[in-house]
Amino acid sequence: MNSYLFVYGTLKSDSEHPAAVRLRECARLAGTGHVLGRKRAMGRYFGLTQLPGEEDRVHGEVWELANPEEAFRWLDPYEGPDYERVETPVTMADRVATAWCYRTVILS
């Protein structure tokens, strides 16, 4: 299973959210990068849309999960039903990596 996760909100390394702290305990920051899509307000949080033709960039971080299966057992419920986990290309400084990313399934 792919061990990379792209984050763009409450899970970033500068966040003190309990889920971000937990992520730092089970993953290593691999670098920064961007994905194609748009960041959209979803109430108190943001969502990522990746619709055909969207060429905007959403900047974030790439984390390498020590144990992806274990991490996704708590990450999927944390993200909730408004988000789906998909693999997407992430452009980093030195390469394009494939990483899991949570994108919104509901446009608001």
Side-chain angles (χ1 to χ4, degrees), residues 39-87:
K39 199 171 175 181
R40 300 187 189 268
M42 303 263 307
R44 294 180 7 173
Y45 301 103
F46 287 95
L48 170 72
T49 60
Q50 292 180 311
L51 300 173
E54 284 187 334
E55 295 296 325
D56 292 344
R57 295 178 179 177
V58 175
H59 295 272
E61 299 172 341
V62 178
W63 288 83
E64 185 174 9
L65 302 169
N67 185 332
E69 293 88 0
E70 183 178 308
F72 289 129
R73 279 197 287 275
W74 65 267
L75 282 165
D76 289 347
Y78 165 72
E79 292 292 346
D82 292 343
Y83 297 87
E84 63 182 345
R85 177 169 39 101
V86 297
E87 287 185 299

Side-chain angles (χ1 to χ4, degrees), residues 1-54:
M1 172 180 263
N2 184 348
S3 65
Y4 290 109
L5 173 68
F6 177 80
V7 300
Y8 55 89
T10 58
L11 293 174
K12 288 176 58 178
S13 61
D14 60 355
S15 174
E16 291 304 318
H17 190 284
V21 173
R22 188 171 182 185
L23 178 62
R24 292 192 295 265
E25 292 171 353
C26 70
R28 173 188 73 79
L29 181 61
T32 60
H34 71 269
V35 299
L36 293 180
R38 290 195 179 143
K39 199 171 175 181
R40 300 187 189 268
M42 303 263 307
R44 294 180 7 173
Y45 301 103
F46 287 95
L48 170 72
T49 60
Q50 292 180 311
L51 300 173
E54 284 187 334

